[in-house]
Structure formats: structure tokens, C-alpha cells
């Protein structure tokens, strides 16, 4: 009670910092629970569950970028020691120049884990392959192959933007219809295939093979 007879205001408890080990355990529990829910018959969620692996890889790449830059400036050897791999392997997988030889968009490298949804949208749009897809990425010049149809920047930014798309709907709304379809994994792949098929030259109709002596002298059959 205060001197005026009013109850004393409650003191707010200081926020208790959550250790990363607790975060790790929590994420693992959620992931296992998610897997059980999908296994219980939700086949439509299977693709979303599989995409989590690419999101973890992309998030790790941004976390490494933050550790390399900013006030920390950890070396590749220090990062590799924590990952249990060699310096060269860590740099090839999480560096700004992946094993493919292409360079990650500087906006991702410089922002690291502090990247905004608006920046993700810009990078996603700049590196979008298009419909039909060009032979090289319009944003970085990465040459597509039969097995790799997305540049490293696009492959990194897509899962992150998909998960965070609701944080800045105004920025996401700037994407085109084809870009939005690609973000959600819709039928854009079939659109590209149909577009490529339409540009291919059509073959002339096969000539009929005569089945009798009479057909061989019939101009309608042999012409």
C-alpha cells in the first residue's frame, strides 16, 4: 500500500533471456510435431515440410554473413570449427560465392539476419527466372542447367520470403502474378514448359504408308 492508501503498482518482471540451447530444443520439438501431423494423413502439407530444409540452409547462410560482417568479424576457420567441417567447405557452402561459382546478391550478404521483407522481395524479383525462363538469371547472369534452374540468390531468398510473406503484405503485393505463383510453388513450372513447347517448330504430319497396291497408286494416300 502507498501513503495514500492505494495499492502499490506492480513491478514488471525483467525479461529473462532465452538461451539458444532452449531455442534449439524448442525448434526440434516443433519440427517433430509437424512431421507427426503430416504423417497423420495431411499429404498436402508434405511439400511445405520438405521446404523447411532449404529455409534452414538459407537462414544459416544469412547467420554466417552476420557473423562474418558487422562488429563480430569471425574468420572462416572459427566458423568452420563450430560447424565441424573444413574452412574451405564452410566457405564454399555458406560464403557469398557458393560452389556454383555465382555470387550471392550483396543485399543479402550485407543485411544478414537483419534482412527486411522489402529487400527479400526486391532480390526475389530481380533474380526471378521469368516465364518462359531465360537461359541466364536476369539479376546475376548465372547460367541455368537442366539440374539447376535457379541462381544461388534466388534459391536462398525464396524460402525465406515465403515464410515471412505475411510480415509486409504491401511489399509482397508488388510481385507479378508469375512471381507470386513461383513463390507459392504453383503451376508456373507448367507455364514455362508450355511456353517452350509453343516456340518449338512443329513437325509435318507423317505420310501415310500404303497398305495395298491400290493405295500405292492413290494420290490422296501417297501425296
Amino acid at each position: 500500500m502507498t501513503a495514500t492508501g492505494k495499492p502499490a503498482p506492480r513491478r514488471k518482471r525483467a525479461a529473462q533471456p532465452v538461451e539458444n540451447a532452449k531455442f534449439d530444443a524448442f525448434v526440434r520439438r516443433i519440427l517433430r510435431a509437424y512431421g507427426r501431423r503430416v504423417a497423420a494423413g495431411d499429404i498436402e502439407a508434405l511439400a511445405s515440410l520438405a521446404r523447411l530444409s532449404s529455409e534452414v540452409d538459407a537462414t544459416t547462410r544469412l547467420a554466417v554473413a552476420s557473423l562474418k560482417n558487422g562488429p563480430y568479424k569471425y574468420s572462416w576457420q572459427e566458423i568452420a570449427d563450430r560447424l565441424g567441417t573444413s574452412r574451405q567447405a564452410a566457405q564454399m557452402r555458406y560464403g557469398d560465392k557458393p560452389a556454383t561459382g555465382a555470387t550471392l546478391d550483396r543485399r543479402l550478404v550485407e543485411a544478414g539476419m537483419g534482412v527486411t521483407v522489402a529487400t527479400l522481395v526486391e532480390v526475389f524479383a530481380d533474380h526471378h527466372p521469368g516465364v518462359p525462363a531465360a537461359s541466364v538469371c536476369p539479376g546475376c547472369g548465372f547460367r541455368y542447367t537442366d539440374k539447376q534452374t535457379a541462381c544461388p540468390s534466388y534459391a536462398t531468398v525464396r524460402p525465406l520470403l515465403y515464410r515471412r510473406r505475411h510480415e509486409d503484405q504491401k511489399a509482397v503485393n508488388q510481385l507479378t502474378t508469375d512471381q507470386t505463383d513461383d513463390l507459392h510453388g504453383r503451376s508456373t513450372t507448367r507455364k514455362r514448359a508450355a511456353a517452350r513447347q509453343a516456340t518449338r517448330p512443329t513437325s509435318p504430319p507423317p505420310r501415310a504408308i500404303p497398305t495395298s497396291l491400290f493405295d500405292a497408286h492413290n494420290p490422296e494416300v501417297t501425296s
Side-chain angles (χ1 to χ4, degrees):
M1 298 291 288
T2 62
T4 59
K6 295 181 179 180
R10 294 183 178 180
R11 295 182 178 179
K12 293 183 178 180
R13 294 183 178 180
Q16 297 294 324
V18 179
E19 298 295 333
N20 284 340
K22 293 183 179 179
F23 267 120
D24 180 82
F26 172 73
V27 171
R28 291 175 185 273
R29 289 197 301 270
I30 291 295
L31 185 58
R32 288 194 295 267
Y34 190 13
R36 289 194 295 267
R37 291 172 68 91
V38 174
D42 188 4
I43 192 171
E44 299 301 330
L46 185 60
S48 180
L49 176 62
R51 279 196 296 267
L52 287 177
S53 61
S54 60
E55 184 175 355
V56 169
D57 187 73
T59 303
T60 303
R61 184 172 286 111
L62 292 184
V64 169
S66 294
L67 293 172
K68 285 288 298 175
N69 301 321
Y72 313 110
K73 298 187 182 301
Y74 286 103
S75 68
W76 278 115
Q77 189 58 59
E78 290 174 306
I79 291 173
D81 290 342
R82 273 65 177 183
L83 294 173
T85 186
S86 67
R87 179 181 61 81
Q88 292 84 352
Q91 190 169 2
M92 287 178 63
R93 181 169 184 181
Y94 298 113
D96 61 353
K97 192 172 183 180
T100 57
T103 302
L104 285 178
D105 194 293
R106 295 302 304 175
R107 288 168 288 184
L108 298 177
V109 177
E110 293 171 359
M113 289 303 298
V115 65
T116 64
V117 173
T119 298
L120 292 175
V121 168
E122 291 177 0
V123 176
F124 181 87
D126 290 347
H127 294 269
H128 185 263
V131 179
S135 59
V136 299
C137 172
C140 63
F142 174 83
R143 184 165 295 280
Y144 303 126
T145 66
D146 292 338
K147 294 183 178 180
Q148 191 164 1
T149 57
C151 72
S153 295
Y154 185 81
T156 298
V157 76
R158 181 179 177 272
L160 298 176
L161 179 58
Y162 179 79
R163 290 294 172 184
R164 298 181 58 188
R165 65 192 186 280
H166 298 303
E167 296 179 17
D168 190 345
Q169 195 62 54
K170 183 178 179 181
V172 175
N173 287 343
Q174 297 177 13
L175 296 174
T176 67
T177 301
D178 288 332
Q179 291 168 354
T180 302
D181 285 344
D182 262 2
L183 178 64
H184 290 264
R186 294 172 184 157
S187 59
T188 306
T189 301
R190 291 194 293 272
K191 291 181 184 177
R192 291 200 185 105
R196 291 195 188 99
Q197 186 65 31
T199 58
R200 293 175 180 173
T202 57
S203 302
R207 299 181 61 182
I209 300 175
T211 57
S212 66
L213 182 63
F214 177 79
D215 290 337
H217 293 279
N218 189 339
E220 294 182 358
V221 174
T222 59
S223 60

